[in-house]
Amino acid sequence: MPETIATRAAAPLLETLSPDGERTRSRRGIAEEVAVAIELDGVGFAVMMATPHDLEDFVVGLLLAEGEIAAADDLSSIDVAALDIGVIVRVDRVRPDPVSVMERMRPRTTDSACGLCGRDSLDRALAPLPHVTARSLADAAALFAAASALRDHQPLNRETGAVHAAALAGADGAILLVREDVGRHNAFDKLIGAMARDGIGWDGGFALLSSRCSFELVDKAVRADCPLLATISAPTALALDRAAAAGLTLATLVRSDTLTLQLCPASAPGLVA
């Protein structure tokens, strides 16, 4: 397979805001994130989200970690094929055992490895999202306020320095609810679950995550009808695409003094100039 690139060649135009209202437009590199469907001995083994680079190394390492092989030479072939919606990696062992693959399959990052193969798995992982209907009333000042206050609401991270936080912030930027977990996806799941159990809506507010903005987090936000997703680090290209298609406003690289927007004005009118 020809060498793939890990960043998007045509960088999107983004807008940077400062607390004094200054807006600067620029282009920056965006990491690529694609769906990688792995077939082992002819059986759909997993669909993972990954940077499309060194995929042969990635698959060998994954199979070693999962105990499917004991050494790289247990594999007879690795074939990487790029599609318009992702990548398929077909792997065969020297001693194929498709029955054991079916027995050992378990849920992965974005898809239950249910025996679907190739393009079917990719279509399922990247199924269209519903459109966001909620609205955020937050403005840039609210985002700056929430970013400045988040650390004070992370007791587990203060103790360990090793966990992510997912916060519900009000329209004024006040932190209303926080959940922590070693995984950024887990923390967001906890927050959404806590809101659902207690009957808490977004009520003009937004979600703030102490992580990069990845495909999976955008999908979780959209399915929870979150109108504005703010993250401390940068987005991937796929995250930007999925958010735009679903009408989700993204605020990324959020700091106490600057942030970067990809606007869906209908979901966050308070951020429109």
Side-chain angles (χ1 to χ4, degrees):
M1 179 182 181
E3 187 79 348
T4 54
I5 58 172
T7 58
R8 173 166 293 186
L13 181 63
L14 300 173
E15 192 170 46
T16 299
L17 279 65
S18 63
D20 61 6
E22 182 179 354
R23 293 172 178 256
T24 304
R25 291 190 174 184
S26 63
R27 296 185 185 275
R28 58 176 292 120
I30 303 295
E32 284 286 3
E33 182 182 43
V34 304
V36 180
I38 301 169
E39 294 180 11
L40 177 60
D41 295 338
V43 177
F45 180 71
V47 176
M48 310 292 285
M49 303 308 300
T51 300
H53 192 266
D54 297 324
L55 291 179
E56 294 88 348
D57 294 342
F58 168 64
V59 171
V60 171
L62 175 66
L63 294 178
L64 285 167
E66 293 293 322
E68 295 293 344
I69 59 174
D73 58 10
D74 285 347
L75 299 177
S76 61
S77 65
I78 303 176
D79 180 67
V80 180
L83 301 179
D84 57 329
I85 58 170
V87 178
I88 298 175
V89 183
R90 297 184 175 93
V91 187
D92 292 311
R93 289 180 287 195
V94 175
R95 296 179 178 82
D97 189 358
V99 174
S100 72
V101 178
M102 293 292 293
E103 291 174 347
R104 289 174 58 92
M105 287 186 305
R106 60 185 176 82
R108 305 289 175 171
T109 302
T110 63
D111 186 53
S112 296
C114 59
L116 295 175
C117 293
R119 191 180 183 100
D120 287 341
S121 293
L122 294 174
D123 285 334
R124 179 171 175 175
L126 297 175
L129 294 169
H131 204 273
V132 172
T133 61
R135 299 290 178 264
S136 175
L137 302 178
D139 57 14
L143 288 166
F144 293 134
S148 297
L150 182 60
R151 188 179 297 272
D152 295 335
H153 296 265
Q154 296 178 255
L156 185 56
N157 193 58
R158 279 200 303 274
E159 182 178 349
T160 66
V163 299
H164 282 291
L168 166 65
D172 60 355
I175 303 294
L176 304 177
L177 182 65
V178 176
R179 290 293 183 267
E180 294 182 278
D181 194 277
V182 69
R184 64 188 188 276
H185 310 95
N186 300 343
F188 200 17
D189 282 337
K190 288 179 180 179
L191 177 69
I192 293 169
M195 292 174 63
R197 292 182 67 194
D198 292 338
I200 300 172
W202 296 104
D203 298 329
F206 59 96
L208 173 63
L209 310 182
S210 64
S211 67
R212 70 184 176 89
C213 183
S214 64
F215 154 89
E216 306 97 324
L217 296 176
V218 165
D219 279 21
K220 290 179 187 295
V222 171
R223 291 195 166 94
D225 202 31
C226 174
L228 168 59
L229 177 62
T231 64
I232 300 301
S233 195
T236 65
L238 186 57
L240 291 173
D241 291 345
R242 298 279 282 181
L248 170 67
T249 291
L250 292 182
T252 58
L253 293 168
V254 178
R255 304 291 189 269
S256 60
D257 59 350
T258 187
L259 61 88
T260 299
L261 288 174
Q262 175 170 274
L263 283 173
C264 290
S267 63
L271 290 169
V272 179

